[in-house]
PDB file of all heavy atoms in Angstrom:
ATOM      1  N   ILE A 179      -0.591  51.857  27.037  1.00 95.00           N
ATOM      2  CA  ILE A 179      -1.219  50.636  26.537  1.00 95.00           C
ATOM      3  C   ILE A 179      -2.411  50.373  27.456  1.00 95.00           C
ATOM      4  O   ILE A 179      -2.228  49.946  28.596  1.00 95.00           O
ATOM      5  CB  ILE A 179      -0.255  49.441  26.565  1.00 95.00           C
ATOM      6  CG1 ILE A 179       1.025  49.749  25.786  1.00 95.00           C
ATOM      7  CG2 ILE A 179      -0.933  48.186  26.009  1.00 95.00           C
ATOM      8  CD1 ILE A 179       2.104  48.688  25.931  1.00 95.00           C
ATOM      9  N   PRO A 180      -3.628  50.642  27.017  1.00 95.00           N
ATOM     10  CA  PRO A 180      -4.787  50.457  27.892  1.00 95.00           C
ATOM     11  C   PRO A 180      -4.970  48.994  28.297  1.00 95.00           C
ATOM     12  O   PRO A 180      -4.519  48.085  27.592  1.00 95.00           O
ATOM     13  CB  PRO A 180      -5.961  50.930  27.032  1.00 95.00           C
ATOM     14  CG  PRO A 180      -5.357  51.802  25.990  1.00 95.00           C
ATOM     15  CD  PRO A 180      -4.008  51.214  25.714  1.00 95.00           C
ATOM     16  N   PRO A 181      -5.649  48.741  29.417  1.00 94.00           N
ATOM     17  CA  PRO A 181      -5.966  47.364  29.790  1.00 94.00           C
ATOM     18  C   PRO A 181      -6.746  46.668  28.682  1.00 94.00           C
ATOM     19  O   PRO A 181      -7.660  47.258  28.085  1.00 94.00           O
ATOM     20  CB  PRO A 181      -6.820  47.539  31.052  1.00 94.00           C
ATOM     21  CG  PRO A 181      -6.413  48.863  31.609  1.00 94.00           C
ATOM     22  CD  PRO A 181      -6.114  49.722  30.420  1.00 94.00           C
ATOM     23  N   ALA A 182      -6.399  45.413  28.418  1.00 91.00           N
ATOM     24  CA  ALA A 182      -6.981  44.697  27.283  1.00 91.00           C
ATOM     25  C   ALA A 182      -8.493  44.540  27.390  1.00 91.00           C
ATOM     26  O   ALA A 182      -9.196  44.527  26.385  1.00 91.00           O
ATOM     27  CB  ALA A 182      -6.318  43.333  27.154  1.00 91.00           C
ATOM     28  N   ALA A 183      -9.010  44.417  28.605  1.00 88.00           N
ATOM     29  CA  ALA A 183     -10.432  44.126  28.779  1.00 88.00           C
ATOM     30  C   ALA A 183     -11.289  45.372  28.937  1.00 88.00           C
ATOM     31  O   ALA A 183     -12.492  45.269  29.181  1.00 88.00           O
ATOM     32  CB  ALA A 183     -10.625  43.214  29.991  1.00 88.00           C
ATOM     33  N   GLU A 184     -10.702  46.549  28.804  1.00 93.00           N
ATOM     34  CA  GLU A 184     -11.453  47.785  29.027  1.00 93.00           C
ATOM     35  C   GLU A 184     -11.581  48.601  27.744  1.00 93.00           C
ATOM     36  O   GLU A 184     -10.801  48.448  26.810  1.00 93.00           O
ATOM     37  CB  GLU A 184     -10.750  48.629  30.100  1.00 93.00           C
ATOM     38  CG  GLU A 184     -10.727  47.990  31.477  1.00 93.00           C
ATOM     39  CD  GLU A 184     -10.132  48.907  32.531  1.00 93.00           C
ATOM     40  OE1 GLU A 184     -10.034  50.131  32.262  1.00 93.00           O
ATOM     41  OE2 GLU A 184      -9.769  48.413  33.607  1.00 93.00           O
ATOM     42  N   ASP A 185     -12.584  49.460  27.729  1.00 96.00           N
ATOM     43  CA  ASP A 185     -12.742  50.430  26.654  1.00 96.00           C
ATOM     44  C   ASP A 185     -11.491  51.315  26.641  1.00 96.00           C
ATOM     45  O   ASP A 185     -11.170  51.951  27.658  1.00 96.00           O
ATOM     46  CB  ASP A 185     -13.994  51.262  26.920  1.00 96.00           C
ATOM     47  CG  ASP A 185     -14.221  52.359  25.885  1.00 96.00           C
ATOM     48  OD1 ASP A 185     -13.439  52.477  24.935  1.00 96.00           O
ATOM     49  OD2 ASP A 185     -15.210  53.106  26.045  1.00 96.00           O
ATOM     50  N   PRO A 186     -10.782  51.392  25.510  1.00 97.00           N
ATOM     51  CA  PRO A 186      -9.549  52.183  25.507  1.00 97.00           C
ATOM     52  C   PRO A 186      -9.774  53.690  25.512  1.00 97.00           C
ATOM     53  O   PRO A 186      -8.874  54.450  25.875  1.00 97.00           O
ATOM     54  CB  PRO A 186      -8.867  51.755  24.209  1.00 97.00           C
ATOM     55  CG  PRO A 186      -9.986  51.359  23.306  1.00 97.00           C
ATOM     56  CD  PRO A 186     -11.016  50.724  24.210  1.00 97.00           C
ATOM     57  N   ALA A 187     -10.973  54.139  25.145  1.00 97.00           N
ATOM     58  CA  ALA A 187     -11.194  55.581  24.965  1.00 97.00           C
ATOM     59  C   ALA A 187     -10.890  56.400  26.214  1.00 97.00           C
ATOM     60  O   ALA A 187     -10.218  57.440  26.119  1.00 97.00           O
ATOM     61  CB  ALA A 187     -12.615  55.839  24.476  1.00 97.00           C
ATOM     62  N   PRO A 188     -11.343  56.002  27.407  1.00 97.00           N
ATOM     63  CA  PRO A 188     -11.005  56.818  28.580  1.00 97.00           C
ATOM     64  C   PRO A 188      -9.511  56.887  28.856  1.00 97.00           C
ATOM     65  O   PRO A 188      -9.016  57.909  29.353  1.00 97.00           O
ATOM     66  CB  PRO A 188     -11.742  56.096  29.726  1.00 97.00           C
ATOM     67  CG  PRO A 188     -12.850  55.350  29.071  1.00 97.00           C
ATOM     68  CD  PRO A 188     -12.297  54.924  27.746  1.00 97.00           C
ATOM     69  N   HIS A 189      -8.795  55.837  28.529  1.00 98.00           N
ATOM     70  CA  HIS A 189      -7.350  55.831  28.737  1.00 98.00           C
ATOM     71  C   HIS A 189      -6.654  56.770  27.742  1.00 98.00           C
ATOM     72  O   HIS A 189      -5.737  57.509  28.113  1.00 98.00           O
ATOM     73  CB  HIS A 189      -6.819  54.403  28.610  1.00 98.00           C
ATOM     74  CG  HIS A 189      -7.379  53.483  29.648  1.00 98.00           C
ATOM     75  ND1 HIS A 189      -6.807  53.338  30.897  1.00 98.00           N
ATOM     76  CD2 HIS A 189      -8.472  52.685  29.634  1.00 98.00           C
ATOM     77  CE1 HIS A 189      -7.531  52.481  31.607  1.00 98.00           C
ATOM     78  NE2 HIS A 189      -8.542  52.070  30.865  1.00 98.00           N
ATOM     79  N   PHE A 190      -7.121  56.751  26.497  1.00 98.00           N
ATOM     80  CA  PHE A 190      -6.547  57.658  25.507  1.00 98.00           C
ATOM     81  C   PHE A 190      -6.888  59.116  25.856  1.00 98.00           C
ATOM     82  O   PHE A 190      -6.056  60.015  25.680  1.00 98.00           O
ATOM     83  CB  PHE A 190      -7.065  57.316  24.112  1.00 98.00           C
ATOM     84  CG  PHE A 190      -6.642  55.964  23.598  1.00 98.00           C
ATOM     85  CD1 PHE A 190      -7.427  55.290  22.666  1.00 98.00           C
ATOM     86  CD2 PHE A 190      -5.474  55.360  24.032  1.00 98.00           C
ATOM     87  CE1 PHE A 190      -7.045  54.060  22.170  1.00 98.00           C
ATOM     88  CE2 PHE A 190      -5.083  54.119  23.546  1.00 98.00           C
ATOM     89  CZ  PHE A 190      -5.882  53.465  22.616  1.00 98.00           C
ATOM     90  N   THR A 191      -8.088  59.336  26.335  1.00 98.00           N
ATOM     91  CA  THR A 191      -8.481  60.683  26.737  1.00 98.00           C
ATOM     92  C   THR A 191      -7.614  61.186  27.889  1.00 98.00           C
ATOM     93  O   THR A 191      -7.162  62.342  27.894  1.00 98.00           O
ATOM     94  CB  THR A 191      -9.966  60.708  27.130  1.00 98.00           C
ATOM     95  OG1 THR A 191     -10.764  60.332  26.000  1.00 98.00           O
ATOM     96  CG2 THR A 191     -10.380  62.096  27.607  1.00 98.00           C
ATOM     97  N   LEU A 192      -7.393  60.316  28.856  1.00 98.00           N
ATOM     98  CA  LEU A 192      -6.541  60.696  29.990  1.00 98.00           C
ATOM     99  C   LEU A 192      -5.134  61.034  29.510  1.00 98.00           C
ATOM    100  O   LEU A 192      -4.548  62.053  29.938  1.00 98.00           O
ATOM    101  CB  LEU A 192      -6.482  59.546  31.005  1.00 98.00           C
ATOM    102  CG  LEU A 192      -5.485  59.716  32.159  1.00 98.00           C
ATOM    103  CD1 LEU A 192      -5.798  60.963  32.976  1.00 98.00           C
ATOM    104  CD2 LEU A 192      -5.487  58.474  33.049  1.00 98.00           C
ATOM    105  N   LEU A 193      -4.578  60.218  28.619  1.00 98.00           N
ATOM    106  CA  LEU A 193      -3.224  60.488  28.130  1.00 98.00           C
ATOM    107  C   LEU A 193      -3.174  61.818  27.392  1.00 98.00           C
ATOM    108  O   LEU A 193      -2.238  62.603  27.561  1.00 98.00           O
ATOM    109  CB  LEU A 193      -2.749  59.348  27.224  1.00 98.00           C
ATOM    110  CG  LEU A 193      -1.228  59.270  27.057  1.00 98.00           C
ATOM    111  CD1 LEU A 193      -0.564  58.735  28.321  1.00 98.00           C
ATOM    112  CD2 LEU A 193      -0.848  58.402  25.863  1.00 98.00           C
ATOM    113  N   GLN A 194      -4.199  62.074  26.591  1.00 98.00           N
ATOM    114  CA  GLN A 194      -4.268  63.349  25.870  1.00 98.00           C
ATOM    115  C   GLN A 194      -4.303  64.522  26.842  1.00 98.00           C
ATOM    116  O   GLN A 194      -3.605  65.535  26.649  1.00 98.00           O
ATOM    117  CB  GLN A 194      -5.488  63.362  24.961  1.00 98.00           C
ATOM    118  CG  GLN A 194      -5.621  64.618  24.114  1.00 98.00           C
ATOM    119  CD  GLN A 194      -6.931  64.626  23.338  1.00 98.00           C
ATOM    120  OE1 GLN A 194      -7.988  64.382  23.902  1.00 98.00           O
ATOM    121  NE2 GLN A 194      -6.846  64.904  22.045  1.00 98.00           N
ATOM    122  N   GLU A 195      -5.089  64.403  27.893  1.00 97.00           N
ATOM    123  CA  GLU A 195      -5.193  65.478  28.882  1.00 97.00           C
ATOM    124  C   GLU A 195      -3.870  65.690  29.617  1.00 97.00           C
ATOM    125  O   GLU A 195      -3.461  66.838  29.871  1.00 97.00           O
ATOM    126  CB  GLU A 195      -6.309  65.150  29.871  1.00 97.00           C
ATOM    127  CG  GLU A 195      -7.704  65.206  29.245  1.00 97.00           C
ATOM    128  CD  GLU A 195      -8.780  64.670  30.162  1.00 97.00           C
ATOM    129  OE1 GLU A 195      -8.430  64.069  31.214  1.00 97.00           O
ATOM    130  OE2 GLU A 195      -9.972  64.833  29.837  1.00 97.00           O
TER     131      GLU A 195
END
Side-chain angles (χ1 to χ4, degrees):
I179 304 172
E184 295 185 17
D185 177 2
H189 297 273
F190 295 153
T191 299
L192 172 60
L193 200 74
Q194 183 186 49
E195 291 171 350

